[in-house]
Amino acid sequence: MQELNFPKFNFRFKSNENKVSIFDEIRKKFIVLQPEEWVRQHCVQYLIQYKKYPKSLINVEKELKVNGLTKRYDIVVFNPDGSIHLIVECKSHKIKIDQTTFDQIARYNLALNATYLMVTNGINHYYCMMDFEKERYEFLKDVPDYS
């Protein structure tokens, strides 16, 4: 797999019928290893190991309704009160992050109302904080540590 712009993490892999799978600590199962999943698993480990977010507050690949359409978010981190702290949109390292990606996560955030947004393709990471009063986002250097 492509080397990513994340710290090195130890992952569990298994091979079955010529497909490699990676163990997802959040979903507690092996997931077929695709380029986007490689980015997602690095991001989850980054949030757990470096940003100290509790695994119990992280959710991966769940459905949500946006304008009546069913969509799937990549990663959501909840606050202890159940509100949403962070949404992460992961793309394959082959996908260039552009305005379309930001539009996608902004649409998701209309339904989720997260305070922070992160967009990553594993190579480039973008972090934003929502300003709901001005209806815009401000770019940050990183997402905050769990406090």
Side-chain angles (χ1 to χ4, degrees), residues 64-71 111:
L64 75 150
K65 293 277 188 202
V66 179
N67 297 327
L69 300 172
T70 301
K71 302 289 185 182

Side-chain angles (χ1 to χ4, degrees), residues 105-138:
I105 199 168
R107 276 192 307 277
Y108 290 0
N109 206 31
L110 289 173
L112 298 173
N113 293 316
T115 307
Y116 297 96
L117 309 177
M118 176 179 174
V119 175
T120 181
N121 62 6
I123 308 300
N124 299 302
H125 317 298
Y126 301 93
Y127 313 96
C128 308
M129 185 173 87
M130 292 303 301
D131 182 337
F132 290 103
E133 285 182 21
K134 295 180 182 166
E135 296 182 341
R136 62 187 186 102
Y137 42 82
E138 296 175 27

Side-chain angles (χ1 to χ4, degrees), residues 9-147:
F9 299 111
N10 291 321
F11 294 106
R12 288 173 46 203
F13 299 97
K14 78 173 185 180
S15 235
N16 193 3
E17 298 177 17
N18 295 329
K19 289 187 179 172
V20 175
S21 295
I22 187 169
F23 189 75
D24 181 321
E25 266 188 71
I26 304 303
R27 292 179 275 186
K28 295 183 178 19
K29 64 180 182 179
F30 281 93
I31 307 294
V32 174
L33 185 56
Q34 301 287 343
E36 183 177 314
E37 191 63 43
W38 184 237
V39 173
R40 186 168 26 252
Q41 292 305 316
H42 275 80
C43 193
V44 165
Q45 291 305 313
Y46 177 72
L47 293 171
I48 293 168
Q49 295 184 37
Y50 283 79
K51 294 300 177 174
K52 305 299 181 198
Y53 286 99
K55 284 189 243 181
S56 61
L57 296 178
I58 299 173
N59 214 315
V60 175
E61 280 245 295
K62 296 283 185 190
E63 287 186 357
L64 75 150
K65 293 277 188 202
V66 179
N67 297 327
L69 300 172
T70 301
K71 302 289 185 182
R72 289 182 84 79
Y73 60 71
D74 285 306
I75 303 168
V76 162
V77 179
F78 291 91
N79 290 307
D81 69 4
S83 63
I84 296 178
H85 179 73
L86 168 69
I87 307 172
V88 183
E89 179 60 32
C90 300
K91 298 292 185 192
S92 161
H93 67 275
K94 300 172 189 171
I95 305 288
K96 185 175 184 266
I97 305 284
D98 59 15
Q99 188 61 48
T100 308
T101 314
F102 283 100
D103 292 346
Q104 179 183 1
I105 199 168
R107 276 192 307 277
Y108 290 0
N109 206 31
L110 289 173
L112 298 173
N113 293 316
T115 307
Y116 297 96
L117 309 177
M118 176 179 174
V119 175
T120 181
N121 62 6
I123 308 300
N124 299 302
H125 317 298
Y126 301 93
Y127 313 96
C128 308
M129 185 173 87
M130 292 303 301
D131 182 337
F132 290 103
E133 285 182 21
K134 295 180 182 166
E135 296 182 341
R136 62 187 186 102
Y137 42 82
E138 296 175 27
F139 283 92
L140 306 170
K141 291 189 190 313
D142 202 347
V143 291
D145 294 346
Y146 182 76
S147 51

